[in-house]
Amino acid sequence: MTSTSSPLTAEAPPPQTEPVRGRRRLSRFTARDIVILSVLLAIPILLEVALIWGTTLASIGLSFTNYNGVTAIKGVGLRNYEQIFTIYEPFWRAVRNNVLWLTLLGVVATPLGLFLAVLLDRKIRFSRFYQSVFYMPVVLSLAVVGFIAQLIYSHDYGVLNSVLGRTSDPIDWIGDPHINIWAVMVMVIWRHAGYVMILYLAGLKSVDPALKEAALIDGATERQTFFKVVFPTLRPINIIVLVITVIEALRAFDIVYAINEGRNGLELLSVLVTQNIVGEASRIGFGSAIAVLLLITSMGFVIAYLTQVIREERR
């Protein structure tokens, strides 16, 4: 009786798992490389924790105290927040101005920037020159724009009163609390529109010309082509513009502080934080409470934006 032996089959080596591959990649680095990478990562992380998260947590904690930078820290519960909402009048003026800031940037400056981008995308003559002129205010900081606003709106030597022929009976564009916020918003819109224009112009340059040609062949007008074909493809740019507009409205500070330190009708939340924390009053706990309210408002927009992005990715 003969026995038959089955041929030996070579077993395939087990597939490498991710931890094994990770260890092999790590083994390629020398000890010196690991130290350098650790230092380069540790420095920005420590700065982020200390300057961003550390100060944020400190502000939240101080907002429940009456700390003034001199005396001992004493907890007061929610008294700072209660005073902000009930007896601190500049707070509601600042909220109104921040809402107005956000509204005008979104309703006036953003469409104006989109309109300028569409015009420049048509490749008109001297488009490069116009692009530079419209973008020039963006290069200037808001503090510089504030000084320019003083030269234009000054009660004594302002250019605007001279142009209007009101040198004998000048209009106090900056001193009148009923009109100074509107005068400042003209300068802010002038600057923000150039920023939005550049963003949309970059988006328009990336639109496939074949889409426009196909729409025109199908009989669509230029207006229909823009709103039905071109504008939907600018959705990523729209999101970026929305985020930038919200950030600009909430962090507005430089221009009003350069004009009159954010007083007399030009109150903003960021200015109130500065005035209470580093101003003459030195009400660090009270100013921290305003900063926390500004943080909560900002986080609301951030959470709404991230929620929208996550929903789009799941689709």
Side-chain angles (χ1 to χ4, degrees):
M1 187 174 178
T2 60
S3 59
T4 59
S5 59
S6 58
L8 297 177
T9 58
E11 296 182 357
Q16 293 182 353
T17 59
E18 287 299 325
V20 174
R21 294 177 181 175
R23 285 195 297 269
R24 287 193 174 182
R25 292 195 192 101
L26 189 60
S27 63
R28 297 176 184 175
F29 296 102
T30 63
R32 182 172 176 272
D33 294 335
I34 295 176
V35 170
I36 294 175
L37 289 175
S38 301
V39 171
L40 293 177
L41 288 174
I43 291 176
I45 291 175
L46 290 176
L47 290 175
E48 176 81 14
V49 172
L51 300 180
I52 305 299
W53 294 105
T55 55
T56 300
L57 295 176
S59 296
I60 295 174
L62 291 173
S63 67
F64 299 101
T65 69
N66 64 348
Y67 184 54
N68 58 7
V70 179
T71 60
I73 299 177
K74 181 182 178 181
V76 295
L78 297 174
R79 189 174 71 184
N80 287 330
Y81 295 96
E82 180 183 355
Q83 292 179 354
I84 289 173
F85 288 112
T86 56
I87 64 175
Y88 190 54
E89 294 182 2
F91 174 75
W92 293 110
R93 292 198 296 268
V95 171
R96 180 200 63 189
N97 290 340
N98 275 105
V99 171
L100 179 64
W101 207 286
L102 177 60
T103 302
L104 291 181
L105 288 185
V107 176
V108 179
T110 299
L112 178 60
L114 176 60
F115 176 72
L116 294 175
V118 172
L119 288 182
L120 294 177
D121 188 54
R122 293 174 175 267
K123 298 179 180 179
I124 59 177
R125 294 183 61 185
F126 308 113
S127 60
R128 294 288 184 181
F129 171 76
Y130 295 136
Q131 181 176 332
S132 301
V133 170
F134 294 142
Y135 187 72
M136 183 182 65
V138 184
V139 181
L140 306 176
S141 67
L142 280 175
V144 175
V145 176
F147 289 120
I148 296 175
Q150 284 185 321
L151 296 175
I152 296 175
Y153 295 128
S154 176
H155 179 269
D156 300 322
Y157 53 83
V159 175
L160 185 57
N161 281 326
S162 299
V163 172
L164 297 177
R166 298 293 297 266
T167 53
S168 58
D169 184 22
I171 301 174
D172 195 356
W173 299 100
I174 296 177
D176 190 343
H178 299 289
I179 62 176
N180 56 8
I181 185 63
W182 300 100
V184 171
M185 286 309 305
V186 172
M187 305 298 294
V188 174
I189 290 172
W190 170 59
R191 182 179 184 274
H192 191 69
Y195 195 5
V196 174
M197 177 202 70
I198 289 297
L199 294 175
Y200 275 121
L201 188 60
L204 291 172
K205 296 296 184 183
S206 64
V207 176
D208 189 358
L211 297 176
K212 301 178 184 179
E213 295 175 0
L216 294 175
I217 292 175
D218 290 339
T221 62
E222 290 191 7
R223 181 178 180 180
Q224 292 173 335
T225 301
F226 177 77
F227 286 105
K228 298 293 185 180
V229 178
V230 177
F231 192 71
T233 62
L234 298 176
R235 180 178 178 82
I237 305 298
N238 294 332
I239 296 176
I240 294 174
V241 169
L242 175 62
V243 172
I244 290 175
T245 300
V246 172
I247 292 174
E248 287 289 327
L250 293 179
R251 75 180 185 91
F253 172 84
D254 311 52
I255 183 170
V256 296
Y257 202 83
I259 292 176
N260 66 354
E261 298 184 355
R263 305 178 188 272
N264 193 29
L266 294 182
E267 295 85 356
L268 293 173
L269 291 175
S270 57
V271 176
L272 296 184
V273 173
T274 304
Q275 289 176 349
N276 282 278
I277 292 181
V278 301
E280 297 178 358
S282 188
R283 304 170 66 187
I284 298 177
F286 191 81
S288 297
I290 300 176
V292 170
L293 294 176
L294 184 59
L295 172 65
I296 293 174
T297 305
S298 305
M299 290 300 295
F301 286 101
V302 171
I303 292 173
Y305 165 69
L306 293 178
T307 302
Q308 183 67 24
V309 170
I310 293 173
R311 287 178 180 176
E312 291 293 334
E313 290 180 351
R314 288 180 178 177
R315 292 177 185 177

